[in-house]
């Protein structure tokens, strides 16, 4: 059973997951052994190579765990956390631990091995977003969970061991640090100004236009003022809302269009970079409705994090966001 342990000095939680260590690829540094088409378990017709699906969209019908699906969600075969059991949070002198309980699922975005999120149609991308929503709505009913992390690693340098386009969901009993920091920062801004900091950012960025990459009816893409990584990009819904899974229907449609546009721009301007994508949304059990604002963060993997970053916590970014926005604006698909 994996285990959460809390660092007694900083309060930071880590997961000790010895079972996952059995995967030799976890210890090998780059290049990762990427599983290619011949042995791909995510292709249509290979449904028996994954655990049984928890959700699938089949426009043309067909039985569960058989071909004919458009999007398919399955439990991760090598989960970082275990879904069954109790948290059993306990102290041991100074130390605190709890069982490594969580749900770890894989969203197979397309049956077609050769497509990427950027080359899928807007409708297909939107369907993936609906699958995210449906899984979050289901998982948040489980009282043990406080957050569902939705993320995507694209390309081996970004951590993907399977080539086939997919995303992951991890339901967690602890709110991740980055969400905690954002929620607390947004709460402070709201306490001082009675406004949402993200809505304020959108207003100011639209007014200046310098860091705006692209806008559509409901979503804006921009290079944030203080990006950690070159070409880091945020996709924000224009209208205020704290939770991704409660967004109005048209925002998924607009987000799908925006994702495709931004990913195509990155493919064009940066030669199809590996990237990480993370959805930032409100923790379940907190009233953050007035001040937190869900969004998507997209980080092309163009540099390596080195000792300086790990040592100081400061990221050194060689590309200014003004320049990044200009490059991506120009790389119109
Ligand atoms: Zn495949
Ligand atoms: Zn807002
Ligand atoms: Zn964020």
């Amino acid at each position: 059973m994996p285990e959460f342990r809390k660092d007694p000095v900083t309060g930071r939680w880590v997961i000790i997951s010895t079972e996952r260590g059995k995967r030799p690829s976890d210890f090998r540094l780059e290049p990762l052994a990427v599983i290619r088409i011949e042995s791909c378990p995510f292709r249509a017709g290979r449904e028996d190579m994954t655990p049984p699906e928890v959700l699938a969209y089949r426009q043309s019908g067909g039985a569960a765990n058989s071909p004919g699906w458009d999007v398919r969600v399955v439990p991760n075969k090598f989960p970082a956390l275990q879904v069954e059991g109790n948290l059993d949070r306990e102290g041991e002198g100074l130390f605190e631990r709890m069982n490594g309980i969580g749900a770890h699922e894989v969203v197979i975005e397309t049956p077609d091995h050769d497509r990427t999120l950027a080359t899928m149609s807007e409708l297909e991308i939107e369907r993936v977003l609906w699958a995210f929503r449906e899984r979050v709505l289901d998982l948040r009913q489980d009282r043990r969970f406080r957050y569902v992390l939705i993320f995507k690693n694209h390309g081996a340098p970004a951590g993907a061991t399977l080539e086939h386009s997919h995303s992951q969901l991890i339901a967690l009993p602890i709110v991740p640090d980055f969400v905690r920091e954002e929620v607390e920062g947004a709460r402070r801004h709201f306490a001082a100004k009675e406004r949402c900091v993200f809505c304020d950012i959108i207003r100011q960025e639209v007014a200046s236009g310098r860091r705006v990459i692209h806008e559509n009816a409901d979503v804006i893409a921009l290079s944030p003022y203080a990006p950690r990584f070159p070409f880091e990009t945020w996709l924000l819904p224009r209208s205020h809302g704290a939770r991704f899974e409660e967004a109005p229907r048209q925002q998924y449609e607009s987000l799908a269009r925006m994702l495709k546009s931004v990913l195509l721009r990155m493919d064009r301007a940066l030669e199809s970079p590996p990237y990480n994508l993370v959805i930032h949304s409100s923790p379940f059990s907190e009233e953050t409705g007035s001040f937190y604002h869900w969004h998507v963060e997209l980080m092309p993997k163009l540099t390596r994090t080195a000792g300086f970053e790990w040592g100081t916590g400061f990221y050194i970014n060689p590309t200014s966001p003004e320049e990044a926005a200009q490059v991506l604006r120009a790389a119109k698909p």
Side-chain angles (χ1 to χ4, degrees):
M1 164 86 84
E3 180 174 64
F4 284 101
R5 290 189 185 183
K6 191 181 194 174
D7 181 276
V9 181
T10 60
R12 181 184 55 222
W13 289 90
V14 298
I15 299 170
I16 307 293
S17 178
T18 48
E19 262 129 86
R20 241 168 110 78
K22 286 179 189 147
R23 272 176 91 191
S25 65
D26 282 358
F27 288 117
R28 205 179 298 148
L29 294 174
E30 293 164 69
L32 287 171
V34 173
I35 297 167
R36 296 186 195 285
I37 189 163
E38 306 78 46
S39 44
C40 178
F42 290 172
R43 274 157 77 186
R46 295 276 177 82
E47 290 76 13
D48 58 335
M49 288 181 73
T50 62
E53 65 201 33
V54 289
L55 172 72
Y57 295 151
R58 288 190 162 74
Q59 283 202 309
S60 37
N65 303 303
S66 72
W69 49 274
D70 305 293
V71 179
R72 188 162 181 260
V73 186
V74 297
N76 192 316
K77 219 173 175 175
F78 304 100
L81 297 163
Q82 183 183 310
V83 76
E84 263 125 58
N86 298 315
L87 292 169
D88 297 336
R89 188 168 178 155
E90 60 192 8
E92 193 190 338
L94 256 184
F95 304 128
E96 234 184 292
R97 51 87 54 200
M98 64 172 115
N99 289 336
I101 298 297
H104 192 170
E105 300 179 354
V106 176
V107 180
I108 309 169
E109 296 159 356
T110 166
D112 186 347
H113 187 88
D114 295 318
R115 310 199 49 205
T116 66
L117 208 53
T119 60
M120 283 162 60
S121 73
E122 287 162 355
L123 201 68
E124 288 167 328
I125 301 172
E126 191 183 340
R127 231 181 262 139
V128 172
L129 299 175
W130 279 98
F132 290 166
R133 170 194 169 107
E134 212 175 317
R135 289 309 302 143
V136 174
L137 288 174
D138 183 37
L139 289 163
R140 80 175 188 183
Q141 293 185 38
D142 189 323
R143 294 269 150 198
R144 296 170 305 168
F145 300 143
R146 295 190 181 169
Y147 194 79
V148 174
L149 180 68
I150 305 172
F151 66 102
K152 177 177 173 69
N153 303 331
H154 172 83
T161 45
L162 285 161
E163 240 175 20
H164 198 118
S165 197
H166 68 282
S167 317
Q168 302 182 58
L169 274 101
I170 301 191
L172 295 159
I174 298 168
V175 177
D177 283 347
F178 74 88
V179 185
R180 175 67 44 227
E181 276 178 26
E182 285 191 358
V183 165
E184 292 318 318
R187 195 195 304 274
R188 281 194 298 273
H189 186 87
F190 190 83
K193 311 206 162 151
E194 292 192 24
R195 293 192 311 264
C196 162
V197 66
F198 294 95
C199 286
D200 277 0
I201 290 172
I202 294 170
R203 252 190 305 274
Q204 187 166 333
E205 293 294 3
V206 169
S208 101
R210 291 177 69 205
R211 284 174 292 271
V212 174
I213 296 163
H214 187 48
E215 297 178 61
N216 67 24
D218 307 291
V219 179
I220 177 164
L222 52 85
S223 301
Y225 177 72
R228 292 153 292 178
F229 309 102
F231 293 88
E232 174 176 341
T233 299
W234 294 3
L235 278 53
L236 298 126
R238 286 165 182 278
S239 62
H240 182 83
R243 298 172 198 279
F244 165 79
E245 71 274 17
E246 289 173 5
R249 173 173 284 270
Q250 76 275 9
Q251 279 185 7
Y252 297 108
E253 193 192 323
S254 294
L255 178 61
R257 275 192 284 132
M258 184 59 77
L259 264 174
K260 182 171 174 73
S261 170
V262 170
L263 289 172
L264 284 175
R265 285 163 198 265
M266 285 183 177
D267 278 358
R268 180 174 277 214
L270 307 170
E271 297 175 21
S272 305
Y275 64 83
N276 298 105
L277 178 156
V278 189
I279 296 181
H280 289 191
S281 184
S282 170
F284 298 147
S285 52
E286 292 172 43
E287 260 324 310
T288 57
S290 45
F291 60 86
Y292 191 68
H293 192 127
W294 75 269
H295 56 280
V296 178
E297 297 194 8
L298 193 54
M299 267 103 26
K301 185 114 181 127
L302 304 168
T303 51
R304 279 167 202 255
T305 305
F308 183 86
E309 274 89 352
W310 289 120
T312 62
F314 297 138
Y315 292 91
I316 306 180
N317 184 344
T319 313
S320 77
E322 294 77 22
E323 187 193 339
Q326 192 178 30
V327 169
L328 293 176
R329 262 200 308 273
K332 222 182 283 170

